[in-house]
Amino acid sequence: MSKVSLYVLGSFLLFISGASSFLIGVYFLVYDYVLFLDWEILSLNSCSVMMTFLFDWISMIFLGCVFIISSMVVYYSESYMGSDIFKSRFYFLVLMFVMSMMMMIVSPNLMSILIGWDGLGLVSYCLVIYFQNYKSYAAGMLTVLTNRIGDVAILLAIAWMMNYGSWHYIFYMNLWDDTWMSYLILLIILAGFTKSAQIPFSSWLPAAMAAPTPVSALVHSSTLVTAGVYLLIRFSSLLSNLNCSFFLLLSVMTMFMAGLGANFEYDLKKIIALSTLSQLGLMMSILFIGYPILAFFHLLTHAFFKALLFLCAGLMIHCMSDSQDIRHMGAMINHLPFTCSCFCISNFSLCGLPFMSGFYSKDMILEMMSLSFFNFFIFFIFFISVGLTASYSMRLIYFCLSFNMNSFVCQSYYEDNIMMKSMIPLSFLAIFGGSCLSWLIFDCPSLILFPLSLKLLPLLFVFLGGWLGYEFSSIGILTSFFFLRFYSFSYYSGFMWFMPMFSTYMLYGKFFSLSKKYDSVMDSGWGEYVISSGPGFYFSKLSKTLNWYQYNNIKIFMLLFIFVFLISLL
């Protein structure tokens, strides 16, 4: 009897549960059905500890997508982590990660959301530092400490909800009280911004690329970074009472900054990470404009093609002897035809090429944004960001698939059966997922009337962006790269507007100098004498005195006797 691998078994179970969750979600959507389960864990006198689960179409469809993508990633890891000595540890960490996300998705209660939320933060730290080197440790600390800000915001929101009498956010969807509720929603937005890495918390997302590639595929498609967007989709009815223009500005700038940065980056995984950041900015901005269902739709379509993109990138990095620099890659289409085909499918879907999965959600988002009476700045940045997405995708295809024949000599090109099998379902989802979901979620089509120029503008920007990406990447004998001629600008853009510096040494440098001053004044100054060494010094003197009396007690007794005798005579 052949031994069944832990990875294959886990993948099979996840796929079955994901497919069934998705079908249940579709049933709930069609019949407008919601299931609210109260599970009483403990009842003591009049006090009961309850665990509540909310199963509606949003949670079930999202859960199904998370499980299906996780099953493909776990199956892919069977081959990717095959030579790793800690592969069973990796398997259980990934499983804990998925279960934390599940906990967060089905909870209508801020208390139980916190369990999943914190679980995501802690397990993501363990996965980022998985390779155990200094770079991984630094990235892990940046990831976990930024996410702690969001955890604190959730804790404060829990404390704030004590004013209402219940932690179930579902009860307050139609309640609005300016004085209290606005503080609560601001805390929830802060939590969502840290988890989904919006400005000014963006720097941890590319740093988290230190984790193994299967983890990156999971984190950037459907789990960790989407938790913030999902939380805000759940609280979206409260957002409608708040002026969100400032948050809209932040998310639009995140989208633009990430799209611009990806055009000047050379690390393959970081380019895809910045692409995720750009798409998260798109989801957040359409959410703040007031279309939560559209944000959810893009969340699902993005999950499919982004997971596929990471799985293809992982195989490419494997073949390049673990080098992630796109300048070392080239002419891979000759050696890895299947992987490069999947890579192109996911990239075209990301760009929003007509009738691919990403086209349905992106096109609708751009049309609804054009319809929403926002100013020209928002309109302009939206379309420019779409063009930048096409630009870096084209650049990626050009560098990895066709450009630069004189690449590494120590390459081991191979296409693994297990890795290829895990890419096939995701490729189908990246092509057909968007159309199927749009037919399911939007049961009646909404008629949007635009002039022809405005209707064709998204497509125009996609093709224009692709052409620009090719132009910036191509190099001749006499010409140099575009970015070498404008080095300062390209460094500023590629370094995420210096945000990693603000999050790391520019932030803690001042605090270190302050703590050094406190140390010299307090710990090494008068505090040293009064608090640390002072009592020891005084007790030492006292014990010496007592010691002296103890060893000379006969003399002292004699002197005291004579002294008392003389006084009594007087």
Side-chain angles (χ1 to χ4, degrees), residues 155-448:
L155 281 167
L156 289 173
I158 286 172
W160 204 251
M161 282 179 99
M162 291 283 283
N163 300 306
Y164 290 106
S166 170
W167 285 301
H168 289 306
Y169 65 77
I170 201 164
F171 295 158
Y172 312 126
M173 291 295 99
N174 300 316
L175 171 72
W176 180 255
D177 169 19
D178 273 340
T179 48
W180 293 97
M181 195 64 90
S182 51
Y183 292 114
L184 172 70
I185 198 70
L186 286 173
L187 286 168
I188 297 294
I189 289 171
L190 174 63
F193 265 44
T194 52
K195 209 60 142 189
S196 292
Q198 302 297 296
I199 286 176
F201 309 107
S202 303
S203 55
W204 73 262
L205 196 75
M209 287 295 96
T213 307
V215 174
S216 307
L218 204 53
V219 163
H220 285 255
S221 60
S222 55
T223 50
L224 182 68
V225 292
T226 57
V229 180
Y230 181 77
L231 186 72
L232 286 176
I233 288 169
R234 283 301 198 188
F235 277 89
S236 56
S237 57
L238 292 178
L239 285 173
S240 56
N241 298 300
L242 201 68
N243 180 12
C244 296
S245 51
F246 176 66
F247 306 117
L248 174 63
L249 173 71
L250 286 181
S251 37
V252 163
M253 292 319 291
T254 306
M255 176 168 63
F256 177 68
M257 179 266 298
L260 193 63
N263 279 290
F264 296 97
E265 183 60 64
Y266 284 104
D267 187 319
L268 176 60
K269 280 176 76 175
K270 276 195 178 169
I271 290 173
I272 305 176
L274 287 166
S275 144
T276 303
L277 189 52
S278 175
Q279 300 307 306
L280 287 168
L282 181 67
M283 292 171 213
M284 281 288 193
S285 40
I286 198 67
L287 183 63
F288 287 125
I289 285 173
Y291 299 102
I293 301 300
L294 264 183
F296 181 67
F297 178 36
H298 190 58
L299 186 69
L300 297 178
T301 54
H302 169 258
F304 299 142
F305 60 73
K306 191 49 63 76
L308 178 62
L309 196 57
F310 263 111
L311 296 190
C312 297
L315 182 52
M316 287 177 176
I317 291 165
H318 239 357
C319 293
M320 305 305 296
S321 311
D322 295 332
S323 163
Q324 297 182 12
D325 198 318
I326 58 172
R327 288 168 296 192
H328 294 157
M329 302 176 186
M332 290 184 109
I333 194 91
N334 302 328
H335 306 280
L336 307 169
F338 180 81
T339 307
C340 289
S341 306
C342 293
F343 189 73
C344 287
I345 286 170
S346 53
N347 255 322
F348 288 148
S349 191
L350 168 65
C351 293
L353 205 72
F355 312 116
M356 303 288 277
S357 189
F359 166 75
Y360 288 91
S361 54
K362 263 193 164 177
D363 195 59
M364 201 180 287
I365 284 173
L366 285 168
E367 287 185 347
M368 296 316 280
M369 183 274 307
S370 308
L371 203 66
S372 295
F373 304 104
F374 272 90
N375 56 27
F376 181 71
F377 177 77
I378 299 288
F379 183 86
F380 180 72
I381 294 287
F382 250 90
F383 278 97
I384 288 291
S385 302
V386 167
L388 287 171
T389 303
S391 171
Y392 64 71
S393 300
M394 190 66 203
R395 177 173 174 264
L396 209 52
I397 289 172
Y398 181 76
F399 266 99
C400 298
L401 272 55
S402 63
F403 171 73
N404 195 7
M405 294 293 284
N406 56 340
S407 38
F408 265 172
V409 289
C410 53
Q411 286 153 354
S412 51
Y413 289 120
Y414 68 98
E415 289 200 307
D416 192 284
N417 270 339
I418 290 177
M419 290 187 180
M420 281 162 67
K421 279 178 195 165
S422 62
M423 287 174 201
I424 294 168
L426 288 175
S427 300
F428 277 107
L429 286 171
I431 298 169
F432 303 114
S435 52
C436 296
L437 281 168
S438 68
W439 295 330
L440 281 170
I441 294 173
F442 307 105
D443 48 353
C444 54
S446 43
L447 183 66
I448 305 169

Side-chain angles (χ1 to χ4, degrees), residues 410-551:
C410 53
Q411 286 153 354
S412 51
Y413 289 120
Y414 68 98
E415 289 200 307
D416 192 284
N417 270 339
I418 290 177
M419 290 187 180
M420 281 162 67
K421 279 178 195 165
S422 62
M423 287 174 201
I424 294 168
L426 288 175
S427 300
F428 277 107
L429 286 171
I431 298 169
F432 303 114
S435 52
C436 296
L437 281 168
S438 68
W439 295 330
L440 281 170
I441 294 173
F442 307 105
D443 48 353
C444 54
S446 43
L447 183 66
I448 305 169
L449 290 173
F450 277 139
L452 184 66
S453 54
L454 203 57
K455 195 76 176 168
L456 293 178
L457 206 57
L459 280 181
L460 178 72
F461 269 89
V462 165
F463 290 120
L464 196 66
W467 172 72
L468 272 175
Y470 175 77
E471 284 294 324
F472 287 166
S473 308
S474 61
I475 183 169
I477 299 166
L478 300 173
T479 57
S480 66
F481 280 125
F482 161 79
F483 55 85
L484 290 175
R485 300 198 290 276
F486 303 98
Y487 188 72
S488 304
F489 172 72
S490 56
Y491 180 72
Y492 170 71
S493 303
F495 204 53
M496 294 175 69
W497 300 354
F498 305 138
M499 217 172 294
M501 289 155 71
F502 286 117
S503 304
T504 53
Y505 55 85
M506 282 178 79
L507 183 70
Y508 59 64
K510 303 292 180 196
F511 287 106
F512 275 171
S513 59
L514 186 68
S515 63
K516 188 182 176 186
K517 283 171 187 163
Y518 279 147
D519 177 70
S520 58
V521 170
M522 183 73 194
D523 288 3
S524 308
W526 58 269
E528 174 75 26
Y529 298 106
V530 174
I531 297 164
S532 304
S533 59
F537 176 73
Y538 297 135
F539 284 124
S540 168
K541 289 287 280 182
L542 188 63
S543 65
K544 276 182 184 175
T545 312
L546 289 171
N547 216 0
W548 185 80
Y549 282 130
Q550 203 174 341
Y551 282 118

